Amino acid sequence: MSQRNRQSRSSIGRNFWMFVEAPQNFEITREIDFSLFGMGAKYRRRAERMQPQDRVLFYINGVRKWPASATITSTYFEDNSLLWHPTTRGESFQYRVKLKPDIVLDEEDYIDAMILGPRLDYVKRWAPENWPLAFWDRLHLLPQRDFRLIEGEMERITSRNNRTNKRENPEPRTDDDNDVGMINDEIQNQAETPPSDRSDDDSSTENCSQLE
């Protein structure tokens, strides 16, 4: 791609992709910390459109769930090293882009596409009962609104889990906090102690003051 075309592309704005993975290949991508994604020869033109700062949602085919989002950090390049498992005869993954993960959900928190999917603009071309067919291919360009809707749900889940973890695992008090607490307790005890309970030293001091 020429420098002029790249500048033109960057002026248009980011793309919002959805990468569809078979369960076993998604686990491989997860094991390498979502640092890489590979595509076959039929996707070369779409790979050429991918640029740094493009956003990505992962979708697991079969289980129909969204588990993670990421950002593309490179233009595409060719690499024939074996990494993922072919799911069809002759499938390859030689066209690749580098990624960095943004949100990665725990498995129990994966977003169920059967609940959220029918709300997407992207699936409106299909009959309501057939909307999962919209995700049959491996690569999809989503409307930004759809992307934000799904990633927004990921952010909500992540925020909820963070609040729960803070309640269940409060931060331990530091030594400084303990010292301040002890001083405050001592001041409170002195304020609550009646005159009759004061020490002999305090009484002697009062008697001396009276004699003077």
Side-chain angles (χ1 to χ4, degrees):
M1 183 181 292
S2 69
Q3 182 67 25
R4 180 177 179 180
N5 286 339
R6 289 184 180 181
Q7 291 175 349
S8 175
R9 161 64 184 78
S10 64
S11 67
I12 295 174
R14 294 183 294 182
N15 286 319
F16 297 87
W17 300 92
M18 186 172 75
F19 293 168
V20 178
E21 292 270 54
Q24 62 177 343
N25 283 333
F26 173 76
E27 290 305 318
I28 293 172
T29 302
R30 188 181 184 111
E31 288 173 3
I32 61 173
D33 197 26
F34 300 93
S35 60
L36 206 61
F37 181 76
M39 300 153 277
K42 66 178 289 188
Y43 300 109
R44 178 170 182 169
R45 288 196 174 185
R46 273 177 267 188
E48 290 175 346
R49 293 187 61 179
M50 296 178 185
Q51 296 291 321
Q53 301 306 313
D54 280 3
R55 301 299 316 288
V56 174
L57 286 171
F58 281 92
Y59 176 83
I60 306 176
N61 199 11
V63 300
R64 296 176 178 174
K65 292 184 177 181
W66 288 288
S69 67
T71 300
I72 294 176
T73 61
S74 75
T75 55
Y76 89 98
F77 59 95
E78 293 190 43
D79 183 350
N80 288 305
S81 59
L82 298 179
L83 186 57
W84 298 278
H85 299 296
T87 57
T88 59
R89 179 179 298 179
E91 184 179 21
S92 63
F93 305 90
Q94 73 265 37
Y95 299 114
R96 302 180 181 183
V97 289
K98 295 180 180 180
L99 309 169
K100 69 175 182 67
D102 292 316
I103 301 175
V104 180
L105 299 176
D106 294 330
E107 186 171 355
E108 62 269 19
D109 291 326
Y110 289 175
I111 296 173
D112 190 346
M114 298 304 292
I115 296 174
L116 195 58
R119 297 171 55 187
L120 303 181
D121 291 338
Y122 187 76
V123 306
K124 300 301 184 188
R125 292 174 290 173
W126 281 262
E129 65 274 14
N130 292 327
W131 73 261
L133 296 176
F135 297 161
W136 185 258
D137 205 4
R138 284 205 71 213
L139 296 181
H140 303 267
L141 269 172
L142 295 180
Q144 182 175 347
R145 177 186 175 278
D146 289 352
F147 188 99
R148 299 300 186 194
L149 177 65
I150 298 167
E151 190 175 47
E153 181 64 13
M154 291 182 178
E155 292 171 347
R156 186 191 68 80
I157 292 170
T158 301
S159 178
R160 180 200 66 194
N161 290 345
N162 288 340
R163 290 195 302 270
T164 300
N165 289 337
K166 286 182 179 179
R167 287 197 300 268
E168 295 178 352
N169 302 289
E171 295 183 0
R173 297 179 67 178
T174 65
D175 291 340
D176 290 341
D177 291 336
N178 290 332
D179 290 343
V180 171
M182 292 174 63
I183 293 171
N184 288 337
D185 291 342
E186 181 66 24
I187 293 173
Q188 183 68 22
N189 289 336
Q190 290 179 1
E192 294 176 352
T193 302
S196 59
D197 293 338
R198 293 179 182 175
S199 65
D200 293 340
D201 290 342
D202 291 341
S203 300
S204 299
T205 301
E206 291 179 359
N207 292 335
C208 290
S209 298
Q210 292 174 359
L211 290 174
E212 292 175 356

